[in-house]
Amino acid sequence: MEKIASFCVDHDKLKKGMYISRVDRDIVTYDIRMVVPNCGVYLDNPAIHSFEHLFATYARNSRYTDNVVYVGPMGCRTGFYFLTRNLPHQAALDLFRETLDFVLGFEGVIPGAEFSRECGNYLDHDLEGAKRIAADMKEVLKDWTVELMDYDVHM
């Protein structure tokens, strides 16, 4: 079998950032890399879980709700995939930056994690950990541009 696109990116050279992973007609997959791969530091499960709930909630309730296809963590715990439809790259970047601000300012019960019927692991959350992820990524992306979303710029 052929390797899928995400396994063809040189993870030894990949840095933190937001990248265009692939474009399939009107759907764009973004690779949001939150830690450097294979460096021994990975996202903590409860923190990434809370970040996922907050990211999905914010993105799916934003002005771009109809353009959001999927938000989810990578199994390697180094970041997230963010899939959009018919959304310019700058709008996706702006939406993710807004999401970071939302996470940083969030207080209260994690959406979709108040009761066991809402989430398959509803007790496994860490809001403060999610905020640390958001703060770090806000710094990483503060000067990020659409041009920097190309893997080749960083390899």
Side-chain angles (χ1 to χ4, degrees), residues 3-155:
K3 283 187 182 178
I4 62 172
S6 61
F7 296 156
C8 295
V9 175
D10 189 340
H11 286 69
D12 290 334
K13 296 179 181 176
L14 192 55
K15 304 296 181 209
K16 293 180 187 180
M18 183 171 174
Y19 304 95
I20 300 164
S21 177
R22 57 183 294 150
V23 178
D24 299 289
R25 293 180 297 280
D26 61 339
I27 296 178
V28 177
T29 300
Y30 294 97
D31 171 340
I32 301 174
R33 206 54 68 144
M34 299 170 154
V35 297
V36 176
N38 300 309
C39 286
V41 175
Y42 303 96
L43 298 172
D44 181 61
N45 278 332
I48 200 172
H49 191 194
S50 295
F51 193 94
E52 174 195 14
H53 278 238
L54 294 167
F55 185 3
T57 296
Y58 186 80
R60 290 189 173 128
N61 283 281
S62 74
R63 65 194 174 283
Y64 299 119
T65 186
D66 294 335
N67 305 95
V68 175
V69 175
Y70 175 77
V71 170
M74 297 174 179
C76 60
R77 295 186 295 129
T78 62
F80 275 77
Y81 288 115
F82 180 36
L83 280 70
T84 64
R85 171 179 279 127
N86 296 323
L87 189 66
H89 299 313
Q90 185 63 56
L93 177 58
D94 292 344
L95 177 56
F96 186 64
R97 284 182 173 137
E98 291 170 16
T99 298
L100 297 173
D101 289 334
F102 173 74
V103 173
L104 286 167
F106 187 83
E107 297 296 332
V109 177
I110 301 292
E114 187 170 6
F115 305 105
S116 61
R117 67 179 175 266
E118 297 175 326
C119 175
N121 197 1
Y122 83 108
L123 296 176
D124 190 38
H125 283 275
D126 177 7
L127 178 57
E128 292 309 310
K131 288 183 179 197
R132 285 191 296 276
I133 293 169
D136 183 62
M137 284 308 294
K138 185 170 179 165
E139 181 64 24
V140 169
L141 297 179
K142 71 179 180 185
D143 296 320
W144 210 259
T145 64
V146 170
E147 292 74 29
L148 294 173
M149 294 171 94
D150 183 344
Y151 285 126
D152 292 334
V153 170
H154 303 274
M155 300 291 169

